[in-house]
Amino acid sequence: MATEDGNPSQRDITAMLKDQTSACEAARDAIAAGGEVMLYDGQPPQWMVLGIAATRLKRSLKIGLTTLGLEETVEILRARHCDEQLRTGNIVAADRSCFFTLYFDATGTELLACSGVKNERPSRRDGQKLQL
């Protein structure tokens, strides 16, 4: 399941992207279309990973970005033990239209969650206009 360096291969990651969150299908599609997959060796604690995901969700919603599975991911991470070590990775769509974050157990053998943010200009809520 893992390569010589202990990391799951791109094929393994594609297979792991089941239905953990609503972003999984889009992430699989991004890989199939030539998206770049990166896994990180560090194993930050759950509380740190959760904090980053929660902040990303809050900021994305505030500026009007479209998120995929990010709310679900925050809930999945919140249910994990705070001292647990996790691994993370990213998928960048080949056309740069989406950026996905992958959340694994410490060994990198179980995908816990997947979230995505569409790379788009933030929407202007309620017809807000720029003021000079």
Side-chain angles (χ1 to χ4, degrees), residues 8-122:
S9 70
Q10 189 164 311
R11 177 179 279 168
D12 294 335
I13 291 170
T14 301
M16 285 185 213
L17 285 162
K18 305 249 187 238
D19 293 320
Q20 292 90 340
T21 68
S22 57
C24 290
E25 183 177 357
R28 281 193 312 268
D29 292 345
I31 293 172
E36 182 180 359
V37 179
M38 298 165 280
L39 281 178
Y40 301 106
D41 289 329
Q43 297 179 5
Q46 172 273 355
W47 60 265
M48 182 181 294
V49 175
L50 172 61
I52 292 167
T55 300
R56 181 175 290 142
L57 175 61
K58 183 178 177 181
R59 287 184 179 164
S60 296
L61 293 174
K62 183 177 181 179
I63 63 173
L65 292 176
T66 302
T67 62
L68 306 167
L70 192 49
E71 290 179 21
E72 299 160 79
T73 294
V74 169
E75 291 306 313
I76 290 168
L77 294 175
R78 191 170 277 138
R80 306 299 290 196
H81 189 272
C82 67
D83 290 333
E84 182 180 2
Q85 303 295 113
L86 302 176
R87 290 188 68 191
T88 59
N90 296 111
I91 301 167
V92 179
D95 64 0
R96 304 284 192 237
S97 62
C98 284
F99 175 85
F100 297 92
T101 304
L102 305 170
Y103 303 88
F104 296 92
D105 68 347
T107 64
T109 57
E110 179 187 359
L111 181 70
L112 307 173
C114 173
S115 66
V117 176
K118 287 191 176 184
N119 187 14
E120 60 190 4
R121 290 184 166 264

